[in-house]
Amino acid sequence: MPELDRTAIHVGYSERPALDDYPDADTLAVLLSADHAPYQIWRAVMVRWVARLSEQSAPMGSWAGTVEWVLNQPESVARLMQVASRYQMNQGTYGLILFDALDRVSSDWVQMDRVVRDLLRAVLWLKSYPHLSAKVFLREDQLERTVTNFPDASKLLATQAELSWARHDLHGLLWQYLINGPGEQGAMLREVYLSVQRRPPIEQDDHFALHEAAKRDTSVQRQLFEALAGAWMGRDRRRGIPYTWVVGHLADGQGRTSPRSFLAAVRQAVEETGNRYPEHRHALHYESIKRGVRKASEIRVNELAEDYPWVRTVLAPLEGLTVPIAFEVIRERWLSTFPADILGLDLGAGLPPQHQALGWEGVKDDLLRIGVFEQRRDGRIDMPDLYRVGFGLGRRGGIKPNS
């Protein structure tokens, strides 16, 4: 989007503290306990940002002071926003404020719903000022709840986008990194690209870019990856094709593969090949690719535990089981490990399972929804390799779990 070249981007909430820009979780909790509505708190965050953006004055002392000013001085707030919007329009520039890590604002779903709903209401308020806009990152389970049950929420839902990466996106990302590598390594990889594409990468200012075919064409991307990893995941075609194998084994139960997992697997495979198979004719040995997937699984499990701390607690008792497996076996393992009811368990910090009140069936449904579990047609529970390996479960003929 060409507008981004003329956009000043600001963070309106994240897990990284920036108390002048937004209240941290503890400050937010104090404001909420003092009966400040989340809607006014988020508007106060936006007002501080807009005041700085357009060089206007607004109360910048305590957050309570800013919130009260926003609440009690509606005309002053409206004038400030109007001046800022007109200023950006006259300059031909834009202001964008980002909100992330909203699952960290509370460990209670009802409170989290209230905070997110009011943030979306504040974003809708901001939409009335041209050249000022907001972007909100939400987990799927947050958006599935009642956070959009307010008037005109459809205007926001019409602009939502799912952050998912197709296989061609991931391979395109990889080669965008590779052709911009430093020194001799980058030059060598650009030569590899040239040998497959029959033309060098596009040179743009101080970096290189891919041709459209290298971004989207499966046959071209497969040839590029074969230049790095060979044609097969073993000695012949029966073991699979590296181009599809890596992405497939890094997908969660919803078929989604994250770029971080994909790049981590390739990075580990490169290091493993150099250490274990230095004479191999390709940069990636197929056995090293398998070890790379194991490393990526370990990284992804840690990432998952940050977003859903309860997952590690409920999956730890399943270590050593072999999937696919009947859910009854999993439930028995849970009941023997946790004699107390699921509602009484300490599942760590952060939000609990969304359907915890439904018992272990609810936990199963949440694990299916976030892609940790898969359910086969015969009802048995399976796990994608991405999580199975990291959590220590087995599969006949599959990649061995991390030890």
Side-chain angles (χ1 to χ4, degrees):
M1 296 177 63
E3 290 87 354
L4 287 176
D5 293 334
R6 294 174 283 128
T7 299
I9 299 174
H10 180 78
V11 177
Y13 192 82
S14 90
E15 58 185 334
R16 182 176 299 175
L19 204 52
D20 288 337
D21 296 328
Y22 49 85
D24 61 11
D26 292 337
T27 305
L28 185 61
V30 170
L31 291 170
L32 293 171
S33 66
D35 289 332
H36 290 296
Y39 177 66
Q40 304 298 352
I41 296 171
W42 292 124
R43 289 211 307 158
V45 170
M46 294 176 182
V47 163
R48 280 200 183 189
W49 160 61
V50 166
R52 292 196 185 100
L53 187 66
S54 56
E55 300 180 354
Q56 298 183 74
S57 62
M60 299 286 187
S62 69
W63 276 106
T66 307
V67 173
E68 289 170 5
W69 185 77
V70 168
L71 176 63
N72 297 320
Q73 301 293 329
E75 183 176 348
S76 297
V77 169
R79 289 186 182 280
L80 182 147
M81 299 297 294
Q82 187 175 329
V83 168
S85 180
R86 188 178 297 122
Y87 175 83
Q88 296 295 319
M89 189 180 302
N90 292 338
Q91 296 292 318
T93 55
Y94 300 84
L96 176 65
I97 186 168
L98 308 178
F99 297 87
D100 195 10
L102 293 160
D103 55 311
R104 309 291 205 275
V105 300
S106 176
S107 59
D108 176 75
W109 276 106
V110 175
Q111 180 78 296
M112 191 280 301
D113 288 346
R114 180 175 171 233
V115 169
V116 172
R117 184 185 302 111
D118 276 11
L119 171 58
L120 296 180
R121 288 179 57 214
V123 170
L124 188 60
W125 167 74
L126 187 66
K127 284 178 73 69
S128 60
Y129 298 99
H131 287 239
L132 299 175
S133 57
K135 189 174 186 70
V136 181
F137 294 90
L138 291 176
R139 290 185 347 198
E140 285 181 297
D141 52 347
Q142 291 177 296
L143 192 59
E144 287 171 358
R145 295 174 65 83
T146 59
V147 296
T148 57
N149 60 348
F150 58 88
D152 291 330
S154 59
K155 294 179 180 177
L156 295 181
L157 294 175
T159 63
Q160 76 180 61
E162 181 182 348
L163 297 181
S164 59
W165 290 71
R167 183 174 61 207
H168 67 265
D169 294 323
L170 295 166
H171 281 275
L173 173 67
L174 172 65
W175 277 97
Q176 185 64 31
Y177 269 120
L178 295 181
I179 63 174
N180 284 284
E184 294 181 0
Q185 291 89 348
M188 183 182 300
L189 287 159
R190 289 191 290 274
E191 285 296 321
V192 173
Y193 180 91
L194 172 63
S195 70
V196 173
Q197 275 280 78
R198 303 292 185 232
R199 51 183 174 174
I202 303 167
E203 200 164 352
Q204 296 179 338
D205 299 326
D206 59 347
H207 69 279
F208 295 91
L210 302 174
H211 296 90
E212 283 299 314
K215 294 180 183 178
R216 303 182 185 280
D217 190 306
T218 297
S219 62
V220 172
Q221 288 189 339
R222 178 174 171 178
Q223 292 176 56
L224 284 168
F225 203 64
E226 284 182 2
L228 301 180
W232 315 115
M233 281 299 298
R235 298 184 184 279
D236 54 49
R237 68 180 67 226
R238 292 177 299 174
R239 299 298 182 181
I241 301 167
Y243 171 70
T244 56
W245 192 95
V246 179
V247 176
H249 281 75
L250 291 173
D252 67 9
Q254 304 292 340
R256 302 168 299 198
T257 302
S258 78
R260 189 175 300 178
S261 298
F262 178 67
L263 294 178
V266 174
R267 183 181 299 113
Q268 182 69 17
V270 170
E271 295 176 1
E272 284 274 341
T273 302
N275 293 332
R276 293 173 178 261
Y277 309 100
E279 303 302 320
H280 189 59
R281 63 184 299 237
H282 292 104
L284 304 175
H285 192 282
Y286 51 83
E287 292 296 338
S288 295
I289 292 176
K290 296 175 185 177
R291 295 187 184 96
V293 168
R294 282 201 287 270
K295 180 64 176 179
S297 176
E298 179 184 322
I299 292 171
R300 182 60 190 138
V301 162
N302 291 331
E303 291 175 351
L304 185 76
E306 290 180 8
D307 291 337
Y308 305 94
W310 56 270
V311 169
R312 198 184 290 277
T313 302
V314 301
L315 289 188
L318 308 186
E319 184 176 356
L321 294 179
T322 299
V323 293
I325 192 170
F327 176 65
E328 289 71 21
V329 177
I330 294 175
R331 181 166 47 197
E332 286 300 319
R333 183 69 68 95
W334 280 338
L335 291 173
S336 63
T337 307
F338 308 114
D341 186 86
I342 179 67
L343 291 173
L345 286 183
D346 179 9
L347 296 176
L351 293 165
Q354 187 176 1
H355 299 100
Q356 184 180 11
L358 300 178
W360 292 113
E361 285 285 343
V363 173
K364 179 194 77 172
D365 289 343
D366 285 336
L367 290 169
L368 286 168
R369 180 183 45 74
I370 64 177
V372 175
F373 277 0
E374 296 175 283
Q375 190 157 22
R376 293 198 167 190
R377 291 184 178 179
D378 61 6
R380 290 183 299 167
I381 297 297
D382 204 348
M383 286 184 75
D385 285 347
L386 177 66
Y387 295 125
R388 177 188 64 78
V389 172
F391 283 112
L393 283 78
R395 181 196 308 281
R396 291 184 181 87
I399 300 173
K400 295 181 180 179
N402 294 330
S403 56

